[in-house]
């Protein structure tokens, strides 16, 4: 007996016994058997789960990319030290345009706080900031990953219930044709 719970929509799918082909789904506090739903209702649920899986996947990917950007910034920051002063570097002006520059005052850096805000910080404080950001994003990504796995399991159970319903309908039609 397995039980699956979705944390984001309030739906919980329970696979009571897969051999008996009995499935149920909870919406809020009300429990409804998947077997009692029409094929169209099961299909709607399946489509909803597909959309949620797609949205969660995009969210997860965005979090992973953000985590990587902050990790890269932290690594770049650790490479800068007092010996780096006067060193030639390429400074990004846009995503595809760089200009030559020289490092100066390496003990202070400008940190992108997000949404267009920047702050001047000393290097140690900036490194701690980036570490906190990476840790927070990783924690959020883990939560999204758990929800994604739950949705995938719910989707599979819904697809199984739909296939069982179609097979039952086909068997019923074959019996009626005899």
């Amino acid at each position: 007996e397995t039980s699956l719970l979705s944390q984001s929509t309030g739906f919980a799918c329970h696979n009571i016994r897969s051999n008996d082909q009995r499935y149920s789904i909870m919406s809020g506090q009300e429990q409804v058997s998947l077997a009692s739903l029409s094929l169209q209702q099961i299909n709607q649920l399946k489509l909803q789960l597909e959309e949620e899986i797609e949205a969660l996947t995009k969210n997860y990917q965005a979090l992973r990319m953000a985590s990587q950007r902050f990790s890269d910034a932290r690594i770049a920051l650790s490479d800068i030290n007092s010996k780096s002063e006067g060193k030639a570097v390429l400074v990004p002006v846009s995503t595809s345009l760089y200009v030559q520059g020289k490092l100066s005052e390496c003990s202070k850096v400008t940190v992108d706080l997000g949404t267009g805000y920047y702050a001047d910080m000393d290097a140690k404080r900036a490194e701690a900031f980036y570490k906190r950001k990476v840790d927070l994003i990783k924690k959020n990504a883990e939560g999204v990953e758990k929800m994604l796995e739950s949705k995938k399991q719910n989707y599979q159970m819904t697809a199984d219930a739909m296939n069982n319903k179609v097979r039952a309908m086909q068997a019923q039609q074959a019996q009626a044709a005899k």
Side-chain angles (χ1 to χ4, degrees), residues 13-156:
C13 289
H14 301 278
N15 182 354
I16 306 303
R17 286 190 196 102
S18 57
N19 297 359
D20 293 347
Q21 300 174 1
R22 291 182 7 196
Y23 301 90
S24 64
I25 189 158
M26 281 177 52
S27 174
Q29 299 298 321
E30 182 182 344
Q31 185 171 352
V32 179
S33 171
L34 283 174
S36 70
L37 296 176
S38 70
L39 191 57
Q40 183 180 7
Q41 290 171 318
I42 294 173
N43 190 44
Q44 287 175 338
L45 177 61
K46 185 178 164 204
L47 292 174
Q48 177 186 347
L49 287 168
E50 284 175 354
E51 289 174 7
E52 290 174 3
I53 288 169
E54 184 179 331
L56 285 171
T57 300
K58 286 180 183 178
N59 190 347
Y60 180 73
Q61 290 170 345
L63 286 170
R64 299 288 295 175
M65 287 177 20
S67 175
Q68 187 60 48
R69 279 195 316 270
F70 283 119
S71 291
D72 291 347
R74 190 172 171 210
I75 290 168
L77 185 61
S78 67
D79 289 344
I80 297 174
N81 55 37
S82 61
K83 295 177 186 173
S84 301
E85 228 166 280
K87 186 177 178 183
V89 293
L90 291 175
V91 179
V93 177
S94 69
T95 57
S96 60
L97 179 65
Y98 292 82
V99 296
Q100 287 187 346
K102 287 187 179 182
L103 290 176
S104 67
E105 204 177 338
C106 293
S107 62
K108 294 251 185 212
V109 293
T110 301
V111 176
D112 182 358
L113 301 175
T115 62
Y117 290 96
Y118 296 86
D120 289 331
M121 296 182 188
D122 62 70
K124 288 194 185 292
R125 187 171 170 214
E127 191 170 343
F129 170 79
Y130 283 129
K131 182 183 180 332
R132 284 192 313 274
K133 280 290 207 184
V134 168
D135 291 345
L136 177 65
I137 290 171
K138 282 184 179 179
K139 182 180 175 185
N140 288 342
E142 288 170 4
V144 169
E145 187 175 28
K146 286 178 185 175
M147 283 193 297
L148 185 58
E149 287 305 313
S150 174
K151 291 291 181 186
K152 285 179 180 180
Q153 289 174 346
N154 289 349
Y155 176 82
Q156 186 59 49

